[in-house]
Amino acid sequence: MLSKLAFGREDKASAPSRGRWIGAGLFLLCHGLVPHAWPRHAYGLSLTFLTLAVLIAAWTCRQRARASGVQGWSLLAVALLLWAGGMSANGLVYLALGNESGETTLSMLLFILYGVPVIFATASPMGERWPVRLVDGLLALLLGLLFFAHTSVFSTMAGASADDSGNLVRMFDIENSFIAFFALARFSACRDPRERDFFATLTTFAFFYLLMAAYINHMQENSDFSDPVDLLIDLPFLALVLMASHPRGPQDRPADVPLRRERLVQAASPLMLPATVLAVSAGLMHTHPVWTMIGFAMATLVYGLRNILVHLANLEERDRLERLSQIDGLTGLPNRRSFDDRLRDEWARACRHGGTLAVLMIDIDHFKQLNDGLGHQEGDARLRDVAQALAGCARRASDLVARYGGEEFVAILPATDAQQAMQLAEIMRGRVFDLALPSPAPLGRVSISIGVSWTDRPNEEGGETLLARADAALYEAKRDGRNAVRIMATPEILPAVAA
């Protein structure tokens, strides 16, 4: 059933090539025959084949990481190098001392640390920011050290009592089980086809390795390297080579994973590491109480730090999205929503303090003709040029220039009288006209018309009234030939302003 995760694709393009299968078979054949052909060197030769199988798997995973861009493949390659280092440590002891009695402390440490990169790959979401992933990495390393603390209790399998050897084997079973079930959980909720392929491969390999290790540790605990059972150790690594080297076809699509499951696993994944650290720390309570306290403290503090970093990142993302929701994507100016919020705030402030308020409605003349004649790309470029010119004219921090929609812009001018509003509007009109932006319009260049409205009695009318008057003034400017500025203030002061 598990093999179908990675091998269940029936089309020819997705099956591993026949050459790889033949290569894996020849490797097993050589491993089985060569030690018997040179029995005096059987131990060293078998260790060499075992190490070589793991190194080939590590190299294949590294190549897959380069091809797919999925970081998990690189982490798996690092894990395999650690495992190969543990096997090499055994080989060095054999060459230096002729010791065939069992694992060394160094090799045991490396075999334990093999699980750290893999657990990190499964428990730390790849999309998290680097500070969060660094914290996850520290927890994964702490977990590996706690596992090793267990091995220091039981020494090594060679020379350990039956009870200690059994405890050591159970510790390996726990670590391998964590890896397998963590990988299965991530695979079950992964949509991205590249990451899903990685977790499918990792899940298959992890369960295969779990079964192989459990059989050898429980059923063949008295066997030594160079025995035929060594071929079983090759199998999960050679299977990994076949899975990792097989290319995915272009027909792959995001998996149809229930959204609820995806969110549940995404939310629960960060809990895998601290929960496992707490569980392993509790197992050291009677033998290494100091390690237990360290594990409890680190799991609590580091996970708390992780939550702080994630919360800060969420706040930053929320602020970024809030800013984006207030900005027009084309021109970079505040958008209609931002303008409405600002007008409401400035109107309320003017009502409280009895201040004045002016609004400018700005429209690019003959914009449809410009768009039709030059194309929408040029039209967008003209919108950006005009937006930049208008924003450059409003120099006070309290002034706001926004894109109202289409080719229309709007400006809010707090604490501004009618004359100042007219002056700024005229500056804007002249600035745009002086840009001499080519246009198929009658004047041959881009121009704007501006309607100005102003009030000193905000308590007696609303912002909608001010906007309506600015729009009416804009209509007057267009009716009078465009490239013009017109004002419509409160009725009582219109003659004075006109004069």
Side-chain angles (χ1 to χ4, degrees):
M1 181 63 182
L2 286 171
S3 63
K4 293 181 180 179
L5 293 174
F7 291 121
R9 305 174 181 94
E10 297 179 358
D11 54 291
K12 294 181 180 179
S14 65
S17 69
R18 182 178 300 177
R20 297 190 189 100
W21 284 96
I22 294 175
L26 289 175
F27 186 94
L28 285 173
L29 181 62
C30 291
H31 189 179
L33 294 178
V34 170
H36 292 284
W38 289 275
R40 294 182 57 186
H41 305 288
Y43 187 92
L45 289 172
S46 188
L47 282 176
T48 301
F49 273 96
L50 290 173
T51 304
L52 184 59
V54 182
L55 290 176
I56 294 173
W59 180 83
T60 306
C61 289
R62 179 55 186 154
Q63 293 299 108
R64 188 60 182 276
R66 292 179 177 178
S68 67
V70 176
Q71 187 185 60
W73 290 108
S74 294
L75 292 169
L76 182 54
V78 172
L80 294 172
L81 289 177
L82 289 170
W83 201 97
M87 193 62 68
S88 299
N90 285 332
L92 291 175
V93 171
Y94 166 73
L95 291 175
L97 304 176
N99 178 15
E100 302 182 17
S101 60
E103 290 84 358
T104 66
T105 301
L106 175 60
S107 64
M108 192 68 68
L109 174 62
L110 292 173
F111 286 139
I112 290 292
L113 292 181
Y114 142 82
V116 172
V118 185
I119 292 177
F120 174 71
T122 56
S124 181
M126 298 179 189
E128 293 284 6
R129 298 184 178 186
W130 73 264
V132 177
R133 301 213 75 196
L134 177 61
V135 170
D136 290 341
L138 291 175
L139 273 178
L141 181 59
L142 174 63
L143 180 60
L145 294 177
L146 290 173
F147 273 121
F148 183 67
H150 276 280
T151 67
S152 69
V153 174
F154 309 126
S155 183
T156 62
M157 292 182 184
S161 67
D163 289 340
D164 286 347
S165 180
N167 288 330
L168 186 60
V169 167
R170 281 191 291 274
M171 185 274 301
F172 278 113
D173 290 342
I174 291 172
E175 182 183 35
N176 293 334
S177 297
F178 280 155
I179 293 172
F181 284 100
F182 284 0
L184 179 61
R186 290 298 303 275
F187 166 76
S188 68
C190 189
R191 289 178 180 269
D192 182 85
R194 297 179 304 160
E195 289 191 12
R196 185 175 176 84
D197 183 61
F198 165 70
F199 284 117
T201 301
L202 179 59
T203 301
T204 306
F205 167 73
F207 274 100
F208 201 172
Y209 181 88
L210 170 65
L211 295 174
M212 177 275 297
Y215 173 75
I216 291 178
N217 291 336
H218 288 278
M219 308 300 295
Q220 300 288 332
E221 66 274 15
N222 294 322
S223 64
D224 206 349
F225 293 115
S226 75
D227 287 346
V229 73
D230 287 0
L231 298 180
L232 290 179
I233 304 177
D234 287 333
L235 292 179
F237 299 106
L238 294 178
L240 178 59
V241 171
L242 295 174
M243 291 184 289
S245 60
H246 121 83
R248 293 183 65 89
Q251 73 279 4
D252 291 325
R253 294 291 184 271
D256 185 17
V257 175
L259 183 60
R260 187 179 184 86
R261 184 199 304 168
E262 180 186 30
R263 290 178 175 175
L264 177 62
V265 173
Q266 285 178 346
S269 291
L271 288 172
M272 293 178 181
L273 279 172
T276 307
V277 169
L278 290 174
V280 175
S281 299
L284 291 168
M285 186 175 299
H286 298 295
T287 56
H288 285 64
V290 174
W291 275 100
T292 297
M293 290 187 290
I294 292 174
F296 281 6
M298 289 294 291
T300 303
L301 294 176
V302 175
Y303 187 66
L305 175 61
R306 187 189 196 282
N307 282 340
I308 291 174
L309 293 174
V310 171
H311 186 60
L312 288 175
N314 290 339
L315 291 177
E316 291 175 0
E317 182 66 11
R318 186 190 67 182
D319 292 342
R320 186 184 71 86
L321 293 176
E322 179 65 23
R323 288 193 299 269
L324 287 177
S325 70
Q326 300 280 342
I327 298 297
D328 174 60
L330 177 62
T331 64
L333 293 179
N335 58 16
R336 173 72 177 272
R337 175 185 173 185
S338 180
F339 166 77
D340 290 339
D341 293 343
R342 182 66 174 276
L343 179 61
R344 183 171 56 252
D345 294 342
E346 293 296 343
W347 195 272
R349 185 177 293 109
C351 290
R352 289 195 303 269
H353 303 292
T356 59
L357 192 63
V359 170
L360 312 183
M361 290 290 290
I362 308 160
D363 188 81
I364 299 178
D365 298 327
H366 302 291
F367 188 74
K368 185 178 185 304
Q369 186 176 349
L370 186 154
N371 245 352
D372 293 342
L374 301 181
H376 288 284
Q377 287 187 344
E378 284 297 316
D380 290 346
R382 299 296 185 268
L383 281 171
R384 287 190 289 266
D385 292 336
V386 170
Q388 185 176 3
L390 297 176
C393 295
R395 298 186 178 278
R396 296 190 309 172
S398 58
D399 296 340
L400 175 76
V401 177
R403 186 182 180 193
Y404 199 64
E407 71 273 21
E408 286 190 318
F409 299 88
V410 67
I412 302 174
L413 310 175
T416 302
D417 60 29
Q419 184 177 2
Q420 291 170 332
M422 285 289 290
Q423 288 175 347
L424 180 59
E426 187 59 40
I427 291 173
M428 288 178 170
R429 185 204 62 78
R431 181 72 59 84
V432 171
F433 194 73
D434 291 343
L435 290 176
L437 300 171
S439 171
L443 294 176
R445 62 173 68 181
V446 173
S447 63
I448 59 174
S449 298
I450 304 178
V452 181
S453 65
W454 173 85
T455 184
D456 61 352
R457 300 198 305 270
N459 287 297
E460 299 178 13
E461 51 190 348
E464 297 81 5
T465 304
L466 197 64
L467 280 173
R469 289 206 303 270
D471 193 57
L474 176 62
Y475 177 77
E476 288 288 331
K478 287 186 170 294
R479 190 178 62 179
D480 292 345
R482 295 182 170 83
N483 192 30
V485 176
R486 297 292 182 268
I487 186 170
M488 186 170 291
T490 52
E492 289 80 357
I493 68 167
L494 274 175
V497 174

